[in-house]
Amino acid sequence: MTASPLPGPGWHPDPGHPLYWRWWDGSTWTAHVAPMAPPFARSPAELLAAEEVMGPWARLAVVVYPVIVFANGVGGWINAPHYAAYFHSLRLAIDHAQNGNTFFNPPAPGIPSWSLLFLPFSIAAQIVFLIWQYRAASVARRLGYPARHSPGWGVAFWFIPVVQFWMPYQAVRDCLPPSHPTRKTVLPVWILVIVATATIPWLDFGSGYDRPLGVAVLVALGVMEVLVGFGAYRVVTAIGKEHRQAVAAFYRRPGV
């Protein structure tokens, strides 16, 4: 009797755990497993379709948002002398009151109205990205990628103090499988985002006292935002491409 040929590499029902898939490399079972989805779960194709609806918008958002941040930095540098003059007047008013004289309120600093025009675009870009992130994380979870957080918590961590400094990075990184080379890009992009964001308050206030240093910081902010835009665009694009390929491979498995 002729032995039946071995199946090709792919995901197959785990012989030891009927509720899991296990990767067969063509000759032996590997350590890679993934939970089978319950019958009511959305299929990988449905989840991917939802992600790809937001994909182009997410790529646009990660390019537009750094431009907005830099524009806010420019606005802060322009308006910083007004803040410096205001705080100087406030200090004089306090000293005046401490000497027994009547306290007076210094005039409030003027804020260029055009800077407020960026706020709706900034909020829109963040909303688009978070919707995309949730959908991309849902695809990654359905494909069995190891993740530290659920898709919902990955979005929520953006709004929780302290943990928002590293857990959103983990959530985006885990949209890619551990072996994917673009995972290494996520961390430097995330560090640049944090550093660039931290420079905005200094440009708003500190650059009013040291204008040349403010120019240097503004140039550094521009360089960082260019790197953030290119890096984030690369990450979002890589996630979309990887998910398309992985979902296609999912449906090539025997019995699917």
Side-chain angles (χ1 to χ4, degrees), residues 9-246:
W11 292 100
H12 299 278
D14 190 337
H17 300 279
L19 297 181
Y20 282 79
W21 299 104
R22 185 174 291 273
W23 185 262
W24 173 263
D25 65 7
S27 60
T28 186
W29 295 106
T30 69
H32 302 290
V33 296
M36 291 185 179
F40 53 82
R42 297 177 70 187
S43 69
E46 292 174 321
L47 294 172
L48 178 64
E51 176 191 337
E52 291 194 323
V53 168
M54 297 303 300
W57 294 103
R59 290 191 291 273
L60 177 63
V62 298
V63 171
V64 169
Y65 188 76
V67 175
I68 295 173
V69 173
F70 179 70
N72 283 330
V74 173
W77 182 84
I78 292 174
N79 200 47
H82 299 282
Y83 281 113
Y86 170 76
F87 287 118
H88 177 71
S89 300
L90 182 61
R91 186 174 64 252
L92 291 177
I94 294 173
D95 292 341
H96 191 73
Q98 289 176 341
N99 292 329
N101 299 315
T102 303
F103 180 83
F104 65 91
N105 290 318
I111 301 177
S113 59
W114 58 266
S115 65
L116 300 177
L117 297 176
F118 296 116
L119 183 60
F121 297 100
S122 175
I123 294 174
Q126 293 176 62
I127 291 174
V128 165
F129 180 82
L130 291 178
I131 294 174
W132 169 84
Q133 178 189 311
Y134 177 85
R135 296 182 179 183
S138 298
V139 173
R141 191 180 198 186
R142 184 66 176 83
L143 292 170
Y145 296 171
R148 291 178 177 267
H149 316 292
S150 68
W153 275 112
V155 171
F157 287 138
W158 286 89
F159 305 97
I160 301 177
V162 182
V163 301
Q164 65 187 182
F165 288 106
W166 73 89
M167 288 189 179
Y169 145 71
Q170 293 176 339
V172 174
R173 178 203 62 190
D174 290 344
C175 289
L176 290 167
S179 60
H180 200 286
T182 308
R183 278 174 65 102
K184 298 179 181 179
T185 304
V186 182
L187 181 58
V189 171
W190 180 249
I191 292 173
L192 284 173
V193 168
I194 293 176
V195 174
T197 302
T199 65
I200 299 298
W202 188 88
L203 286 169
D204 287 340
F205 301 102
S207 63
Y209 298 96
D210 193 333
R211 300 300 279 170
L213 180 59
V215 172
V217 172
L218 194 60
V219 171
L221 176 64
V223 173
M224 287 189 288
E225 293 304 336
V226 169
L227 295 175
V228 167
F230 277 109
Y233 185 91
R234 180 186 176 192
V235 169
V236 173
T237 302
I239 290 173
K241 181 179 179 180
E242 172 64 24
H243 287 182
R244 284 192 297 273
Q245 294 174 346

